[in-house]
């Protein structure tokens, strides 16, 4: 039996309260009705219990629509064929990075939210992917391309767009504004009314929209309604932390931003009870956690501190910072989950490591990544100083060696990082180039002069499949190993995204934690050697229950002496369990 998520009167009351806070001068009743009309007719009214929004069987693949290319094929067709051939039994969800017409920033300067980039395919291709996978799409909500119709209309004083953008005088004191870039915040533009200065948080091709205008909110609700109708079930709010602007504030994490997210979640769940809202907030850990709200904002938040900390642990051979972070992390609230990742289309965010890594550790970390071919991108601090913002490098090449230099353990370190991610509380997300052990793309970096291009390779399908079929290549070994590990993980109840997690206290070279299934039928002890030397662990320190049989899910080996010693080879990981569901 199914019931509505909220009755219409209840929904209107909740919406009205949020809208009255955001737009106190508006006609709240009329604006509430406009919001409902903008999101469009309902798709799915069935209540989904929080524990059933996701499960241990969920794993997400992150990819551009053209990460794999084949002559005379639409890239989205090529992607679909590759997924069906190789990965349909591995991943439940696919995040296709911005697939709209765009002018820059790898798709994140959107020209038209309602169209699919003709060079990739069309809406039918997106809908087909949404039939076979939980499909995740991007709502680039903070800004639009300077080539968009809205911005052209702004320049000509026409609707829609005439009053959609944030203006500010260059004489204002904007020193408090938090920036992720070093470019000037304001851009001078010619309009029918003369020169005006518009707000550009990210680049001068990405013009910030003004959510203080309720018409902008309604435009984005229409876009969300379209995405949901086209099969996009998971929605990623790009750069949402910067959404609301108030002169004299840092213009990040403002209360109004959180209220907008609450409103979006209400309307998304009203339209489709299976819809999931994900916040993308590349900020220090404490700030990131606020986007769960009171289980009424984002369903998922990116675990942004995980990439720098797990990479640091494997480069240094010491997990003290990673362990300290994990011990401080609260369980995700009811109806919420962490989205775990170690690599993405962007770089390794450094702000999420603030307060977690010391300045000395961060300096050594960045110098090591640079020695492996990485680049460092910067941002402007509140006092105008330049600060490291992200490290740009492929994850495979980030593990070329350690602080001592390059060595022979590159593949083992990469696999260790992914095994850690797979086992942690939350839903694992894999950037497609991690699966392929893609090295730094120095040719693309040189061609574009954009640091992020180093990790945005476009593989030719024939070349890639040749490498994947050859047992002598790292591409074959990593691809097959990760597929196997993901399938093992997805069969274990103790790896449910909300299953219990406790940190284990072991030597610094071993990062360990314990997971227990929601029904307490399965325990898994996750032990990971972060170093290039064997590590011995006394099993009495782990307290395996003596009346049960224990086995390592990864190697298949049984534990025969519960009071003995377990020796982990360099970068070896084990998942010791008292229960095994066959894959």
């Amino acid at each position: 039996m199914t019931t509505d998520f909220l009755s219409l009167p209840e929904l209107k009351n909740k919406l009205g309260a949020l809208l009255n806070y955001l737009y106190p001068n508006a006609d709240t009743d009329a604006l509430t009705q406009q919001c409902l009309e903008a999101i469009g007719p309902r798709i799915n009214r069935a209540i989904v219990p929080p524990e059933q929004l996701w499960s241990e069987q969920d794993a997400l693949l992150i990819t551009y629509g053209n990460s794999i290319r084949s002559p005379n094929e639409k890239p989205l067709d090529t992607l679909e064929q590759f997924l069906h051939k190789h990965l349909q039994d591995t991943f439940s969800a696919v995040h296709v990075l911005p697939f709209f017409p765009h002018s820059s920033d790898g798709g994140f300067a959107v020209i038209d939210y309602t169209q699919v980039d003709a060079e990739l395919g069309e809406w039918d291709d997106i809908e087909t992917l949404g039939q076979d996978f939980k499909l995740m799409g991007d709502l680039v909500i903070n800004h639009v391309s300077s080539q968009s119709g809205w911005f052209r209309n702004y320049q000509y004083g026409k609707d829609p767009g005439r009053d959609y953008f944030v203006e500010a005088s260059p004489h204002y004191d904007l020193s408090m504004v938090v920036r992720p870039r070093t470019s000037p915040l304001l851009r001078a533009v010619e309009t029918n009314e003369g020169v005006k200065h518009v707000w550009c948080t990210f680049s001068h091709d990405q013009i910030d929209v003004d959510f203080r205008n309720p018409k902008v909110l309604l435009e984005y609700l229409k876009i969300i309604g379209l995405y949901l109708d086209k099969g996009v079930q998971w929605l990623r709010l790009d750069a949402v932390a910067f959404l609301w602007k108030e002169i004299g504030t840092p213009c990040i994490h403002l209360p109004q931003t959180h209220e907008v997210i609450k409103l979006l979640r209400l309307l998304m769940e009203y339209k489709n009870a299976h819809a999931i809202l994900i916040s993308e907030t590349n900020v220090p850990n404490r700030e990131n956690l606020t986007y769960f709200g009171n289980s009424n904002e984002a369903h998922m938040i990116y675990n942004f501190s995980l990439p720098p900390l797990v990479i640091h642990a494997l480069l240094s051979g010491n997990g003290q910072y990673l362990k300290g972070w994990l011990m401080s992390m609260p369980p995700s609230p009811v109806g919420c989950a962490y989205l775990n990742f170690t690599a993405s289309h962007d770089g390794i965010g450094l702000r999420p490591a603030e307060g977690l890594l010391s300045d000395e550790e961060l300096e050594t970390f960045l110098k090591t990544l640079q020695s492996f071919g990485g680049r460092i991108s910067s941002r402007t601090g509140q006092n105008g100083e330049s600060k490291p913002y992200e490290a740009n490098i492929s994850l495979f090449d980030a593990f070329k060696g350690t602080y001592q230099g390059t060595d022979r353990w590159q593949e083992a370190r990469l696999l260790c990082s992914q095994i850690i991610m797979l086992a942690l509380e939350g839903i694992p997300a894999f950037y497609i180039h991690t699966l392929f052990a893609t090295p730094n793309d120095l040719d693309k970096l040189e061609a574009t002069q954009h640091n992020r291009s180093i990790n945005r390779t476009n593989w030719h399908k024939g070349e890639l499949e040749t490498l994947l079929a050859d047992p002598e290549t790292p591409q074959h070994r990593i691809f097959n190993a990760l597929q196997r590990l993901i399938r093992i993980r997805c069969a274990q109840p103790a790896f449910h995204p909300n299953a219990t997690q406790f940190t284990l206290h072991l030597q610094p070279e071993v990062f360990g934690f314990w997971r227990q299934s929601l029904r307490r039928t399965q325990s898994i002890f996750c032990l990971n050697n972060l170093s290039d030397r064997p590590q011995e662990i006394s099993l009495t320190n782990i307290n395996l229950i003596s009346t049960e049989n224990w086995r390592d899910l990864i190697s298949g080996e049984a534990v025969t002496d519960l009071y003995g010693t377990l020796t982990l080879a360099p970068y070896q990981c084990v998942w010791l369990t008292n229960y095994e569901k066959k894959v």
Side-chain angles (χ1 to χ4, degrees):
M1 179 177 180
T2 61
T3 56
D4 284 353
F5 166 68
L6 278 179
S7 69
L8 192 56
E10 289 174 321
L11 177 67
K12 286 184 174 181
N13 285 338
K14 287 179 175 288
L15 287 175
L18 293 167
L19 290 168
N20 187 58
Y21 175 83
L22 292 166
Y23 309 107
N25 297 322
D27 181 335
T28 301
D29 290 341
L31 186 53
T32 297
Q33 187 59 38
Q34 289 175 308
C35 287
L36 290 168
E37 292 171 358
I39 200 74
R42 303 179 76 176
I43 298 172
N44 190 329
R45 300 173 180 228
I47 282 182
V48 182
E51 68 274 10
Q52 294 180 20
L53 284 169
W54 38 70
S55 77
E56 63 274 11
Q57 297 177 25
D58 281 311
L60 174 70
L61 177 70
I62 305 168
T63 180
Y64 273 106
N66 62 358
S67 291
I68 307 172
R69 291 176 171 173
S70 187
N72 304 316
E73 281 184 2
K74 293 183 295 184
L76 287 173
D77 277 347
T78 303
L79 176 63
E80 182 193 3
Q81 293 167 25
F82 186 90
L83 294 178
H84 275 279
K85 180 177 179 180
H86 296 285
L87 296 173
Q88 191 161 15
D89 296 332
T90 307
F91 291 96
S92 63
V94 174
H95 176 196
V96 182
L97 289 155
F99 46 78
F100 320 103
H102 62 276
S103 54
S104 65
D105 196 24
F108 287 91
V110 178
I111 294 174
D112 187 348
Y113 293 90
T114 67
Q115 300 296 321
V116 175
D117 186 344
E119 294 187 5
L120 296 178
E122 51 198 29
W123 276 117
D124 285 349
D125 302 309
I126 296 297
E127 291 183 83
T128 297
L129 284 169
Q131 292 167 6
D132 297 327
F133 299 91
K134 296 174 182 177
L135 183 61
M136 180 168 159
D138 291 278
L139 184 65
V140 184
I141 196 170
N142 179 71
H143 48 259
V144 299
S145 166
S146 63
Q147 299 179 29
S148 67
W150 290 351
F151 192 65
R152 287 198 302 270
N153 285 348
Y154 166 80
Q155 291 178 285
Y156 288 108
K158 296 166 54 179
D159 287 323
R162 176 175 55 86
D163 50 0
Y164 281 13
F165 297 93
V166 182
E167 298 176 353
S169 167
H171 302 296
Y172 290 165
D173 181 2
L174 301 175
S175 59
M176 290 182 65
V177 176
V178 173
R179 298 292 312 288
R181 300 289 186 273
T182 56
S183 57
L185 176 62
L186 301 182
R187 171 187 167 181
V189 295
E190 292 285 349
T191 76
N192 279 1
E193 298 176 357
V195 175
K196 294 187 177 181
H197 293 83
V198 293
W199 197 287
C200 303
T201 298
F202 287 85
S203 79
H204 282 191
D205 187 40
Q206 294 162 293
I207 317 298
D208 286 33
V209 294
D210 191 352
F211 264 84
R212 296 172 299 183
N213 180 349
K215 290 189 290 185
V216 171
L217 171 68
L218 293 173
E219 291 281 13
Y220 279 91
L221 289 176
K222 291 175 187 175
I223 295 165
I224 292 172
L226 172 66
Y227 291 0
L228 292 172
D229 288 337
K230 295 295 188 182
V232 176
Q233 187 172 326
W234 291 9
L235 193 68
R236 175 185 183 268
L237 297 178
D238 176 68
V240 69
F242 302 95
L243 184 71
W244 200 277
K245 278 78 176 179
E246 293 287 348
I247 304 299
T249 76
C251 296
I252 186 172
H253 312 314
L254 295 188
Q256 295 91 334
T257 293
H258 289 277
E259 297 303 295
V260 170
I261 296 172
K262 292 173 187 176
L263 187 147
L264 298 184
R265 175 164 173 166
L266 265 179
L267 285 167
M268 283 181 62
E269 290 181 330
Y270 167 76
K271 184 176 178 72
N272 183 350
H274 293 268
I276 300 294
L277 195 63
I278 300 116
S279 64
E280 187 268 337
T281 47
N282 188 359
V283 294
N285 195 52
R286 287 180 179 271
E287 299 169 28
N288 190 33
L289 290 169
T290 65
Y291 285 85
F292 279 139
N294 187 22
S295 297
N296 59 354
E297 295 187 34
H299 293 86
M300 298 183 205
I301 64 172
Y302 279 80
N303 223 340
F304 271 107
S305 296
L306 179 60
L309 290 180
V310 78
I311 297 169
H312 169 271
L314 286 159
L315 297 186
S316 66
N318 188 320
Q320 62 171 323
Y321 293 99
L322 181 62
K323 175 185 173 182
W325 163 78
L326 191 66
M327 291 176 64
S328 71
M329 287 292 283
S332 54
V334 174
C336 300
Y338 294 111
L339 189 67
N340 295 324
F341 73 110
T342 54
S344 74
H345 61 289
D346 292 337
I348 302 161
L350 301 176
R351 288 209 70 207
E354 290 178 10
L356 301 174
L357 289 179
S358 67
D359 291 343
E360 294 77 15
E361 286 289 343
L362 183 61
E363 183 180 359
T364 304
F365 177 61
L366 295 181
K367 285 182 177 178
T368 302
L369 293 179
Q370 287 177 300
S371 74
F372 299 153
R375 303 292 191 272
I376 307 301
S377 297
S378 300
R379 66 180 179 91
T380 300
Q382 287 192 7
N383 297 320
E385 74 279 21
S386 179
K387 291 186 173 184
Y389 179 70
E390 66 181 20
N392 304 105
I393 190 170
S394 83
L395 190 64
F396 184 51
D397 278 357
F399 291 127
K400 275 186 174 180
T402 66
Y403 287 175
Q404 281 66 52
T406 58
D407 59 25
R408 62 189 179 93
W409 299 106
Q410 183 177 15
E411 293 178 33
R413 271 187 292 272
L414 178 66
L415 288 175
C416 181
S417 73
Q418 302 311 287
I419 292 170
I420 290 171
M421 179 186 71
L422 277 167
L424 286 169
E425 177 193 345
I427 296 170
F430 291 81
Y431 186 40
I432 196 166
H433 291 301
T434 301
L435 295 182
F436 301 154
T438 305
N440 291 334
D441 193 334
L442 299 180
D443 290 338
K444 192 170 186 178
L445 176 67
E446 178 66 25
T448 65
Q449 294 297 302
H450 291 300
N451 284 351
R452 287 178 169 177
S453 296
I454 200 171
N455 195 26
R456 294 179 177 178
T457 294
N458 303 105
W459 279 100
H460 294 285
K461 182 181 176 183
E463 177 191 0
L464 176 61
E465 294 208 312
T466 297
L467 291 170
L468 294 179
D470 182 355
E472 299 302 315
T473 66
Q475 285 71 33
H476 172 92
R477 292 188 292 268
I478 294 296
F479 187 67
N480 285 276
L482 287 178
Q483 283 191 87
R484 174 178 174 269
L485 289 162
I486 295 168
R487 289 168 184 164
I488 292 172
R489 187 257 185 204
C490 290
Q492 312 308 320
F495 286 148
H496 185 285
N498 301 116
T500 299
Q501 176 173 282
F502 283 109
T503 310
L504 301 178
H505 297 283
L506 303 166
Q507 59 261 48
E509 296 83 2
V510 179
F511 178 55
F513 50 95
W514 171 74
R515 302 293 308 278
Q516 185 182 59
S517 59
L518 297 175
R519 296 185 179 182
R520 301 185 180 181
T521 56
Q522 182 186 33
S523 289
I524 301 179
F525 290 88
C526 307
L527 308 174
N528 310 278
N529 184 354
L530 304 171
S531 74
D532 57 5
R533 297 182 180 182
Q535 297 294 323
E536 291 190 352
I537 303 170
S538 173
L539 291 177
T540 57
N541 292 335
I542 299 176
N543 295 323
L544 303 180
I545 299 173
S546 61
T547 57
E548 297 180 352
N549 297 318
W550 295 86
R551 178 178 297 276
D552 173 22
L553 289 167
I554 297 175
S555 69
E557 294 182 3
V559 177
T560 56
D561 182 3
L562 300 184
Y563 304 99
T565 298
L566 177 67
T567 301
L568 296 179
Y571 305 108
Q572 182 184 358
C573 305
V574 299
W575 290 341
L576 298 180
T577 187
N578 58 340
Y579 162 96
E580 182 176 359
K581 182 177 179 181
K582 298 297 183 182
V583 181

